[in-house]
Amino acid sequence: MRVLVIEDNRDLQANIARFLEPDFLLDFAGTGPEGLALALANPYDVIVLDLMLPGMSGIEVCERYRQVAPRLVPILMLTARDTLEDKEEGFQAGADDYLVKPFSLRELRWRLEALARRPVPPSGRTLTRGGLTLEPESGQARWGGRTVRLNRTEALLLRWLMEAAPEAIPAATLAQRLWGDDAPDTSALRTHVYALRKALAGLGLDDAITTRRNEGYRLDAR
């Protein structure tokens, strides 16, 4: 697995390198601009991105990368802040997962492995439901003349919900598809669904995803 770590703390860089380098191919960047340049120049499997960086914040790096990158490479964001607002900002910028400092290197490893195992969106296929279209490979969703770029996790969730519509998908099924047997607590899936709902609301699709008691999440097929 090839991983880019964009982190300006040299001690943390060294700890990550010692723990992961026997099994991972690692590149490191210490500033936002350097990390963005490497991310766009190389085919990484996962990008680890610190929120606070010199030259350009992690949010800016994430947003710019998602705007121009041809592939939906998963991004794991590192942060010392754990509020819902901080997570929402990161997910809206294009992050796929969060890891709060200080963290266990073992947890970093299994989160990287879980992100890399997520299905790769199929190429060349556009999904359509009730005027909503999704290009799974690029993460572009469109409705009513508006367009939004989803991150990899949001694109996968929307793809599965569109394919199942009008049926609901149990939360446990979605968690299994995203994380396999390494699923975190249930709040992680709720946070991703919340971010997807916000993205769809930006298209004008308020309440497009409903929660069905004892059934799961459902996309309004209209």
Side-chain angles (χ1 to χ4, degrees):
M1 187 192 308
R2 188 173 185 183
V3 178
L4 171 63
V5 180
I6 309 175
E7 165 63 60
D8 63 324
N9 186 309
R10 295 296 181 89
D11 291 336
L12 183 53
Q13 283 189 11
N15 288 338
I16 291 174
R18 282 192 294 269
F19 190 79
L20 295 180
E21 275 188 340
D23 303 304
F24 292 74
L25 180 61
L26 302 175
D27 289 337
F28 289 90
T31 69
E34 179 188 6
L36 179 61
L38 284 173
L40 293 173
N42 299 289
Y44 295 105
D45 297 297
V46 184
I47 296 171
V48 179
L49 177 60
D50 187 33
L51 189 63
M52 303 297 293
L53 292 166
M56 185 186 300
S57 72
I59 293 294
E60 291 177 287
V61 172
C62 196
E63 288 176 337
R64 296 192 188 186
Y65 178 74
R66 290 301 190 207
Q67 287 169 0
V68 299
R71 298 174 60 237
L72 284 177
V73 176
I75 294 176
L76 173 62
M77 191 163 280
L78 305 180
T79 178
R81 303 179 304 201
D82 191 28
T83 68
L84 180 60
E85 291 75 18
D86 293 325
K87 291 181 178 181
E88 179 184 353
E89 183 182 22
F91 288 137
Q92 288 181 337
D96 293 272
D97 201 359
Y98 250 84
L99 191 55
V100 179
K101 297 179 179 179
F103 54 82
S104 162
L105 292 173
R106 289 179 59 194
E107 182 176 2
L108 172 63
R109 179 183 183 122
W110 68 250
R111 282 180 181 266
L112 292 175
E113 291 173 341
L115 284 170
R117 285 198 303 269
R118 290 186 184 177
V120 177
S123 61
R125 181 187 176 196
T126 299
L127 297 176
T128 302
R129 288 291 184 276
L132 173 66
T133 64
L134 171 68
E135 297 175 4
E137 187 176 29
S138 67
Q140 293 277 359
R142 298 183 181 86
W143 187 81
R146 300 181 184 179
T147 302
V148 67
R149 182 86 178 266
L150 305 176
N151 65 30
R152 186 173 181 176
T153 303
E154 293 163 357
L156 285 169
L157 288 173
L158 183 56
R159 168 195 159 196
W160 294 329
L161 291 170
M162 290 178 73
E163 290 174 340
E167 302 299 323
I169 303 180
T173 300
L174 292 174
Q176 174 68 29
R177 290 180 182 181
L178 286 174
W179 293 290
D181 295 329
D182 297 317
D185 58 64
T186 55
S187 66
L189 178 63
R190 289 199 301 268
T191 302
H192 286 298
V193 173
Y194 173 77
L196 177 57
R197 281 174 167 148
K198 291 277 288 186
L200 294 179
L203 295 177
L205 289 171
D206 296 310
D207 303 320
I209 298 174
T210 59
T211 304
R212 311 282 289 186
R213 188 175 182 181
N214 299 324
E215 294 182 29
Y217 296 104
R218 182 179 76 93
L219 181 72
D220 187 336
R222 296 173 296 174

